[in-house]
């Protein structure tokens, strides 16, 4: 069963890409996920998102989130 609509998701992904790079801080939810990878991340940590890709129904729009900037 297809949930996402590729024809709608791809233009949105392209619009997100035009706003990059973008500096962000992790939310509390995101912080929990990041702590699984590294323990030295806080809500005050800054990251730079440099890329975004559409990965289908299960993945949605994903971002490239490298280490702190």
């Amino acid at each position: 069963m297809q949930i996402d609509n590729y024809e709608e998701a791809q233009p949105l992904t392209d619009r997100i890409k035009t706003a990059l790079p973008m500096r962000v801080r992790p939310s509390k939810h995101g912080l929990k996920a990041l702590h699984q990878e590294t323990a030295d991340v806080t809500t005050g940590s800054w990251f730079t998102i440099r890329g975004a890709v559409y990965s289908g129904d299960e993945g949605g729009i994903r971002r490239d989130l490298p280490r702190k900037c």
Side-chain angles (χ1 to χ4, degrees):
M1 178 175 135
Q2 183 178 5
I3 299 170
D4 291 342
N5 182 330
Y6 179 83
E7 287 77 25
E8 291 179 6
Q10 195 57 52
L12 178 57
T13 304
D14 293 339
R15 285 180 49 205
I16 291 170
K17 288 179 180 179
T18 64
L20 300 178
M22 179 186 310
R23 289 187 72 211
V24 297
R25 289 185 184 173
S27 65
K28 289 182 182 181
H29 175 75
L31 193 60
K32 287 180 184 179
L34 289 168
H35 271 280
Q36 294 174 357
E37 298 175 24
T38 181
D40 67 338
V41 178
T42 68
T43 53
S45 299
W46 283 97
F47 294 85
T48 301
I49 297 176
R50 299 188 190 284
V53 295
Y54 177 65
S55 58
D57 283 346
E58 293 185 23
I61 297 174
R62 301 177 59 93
R63 77 289 177 263
D64 173 24
L65 186 64
R67 196 59 198 107
K68 291 185 226 178
C69 58

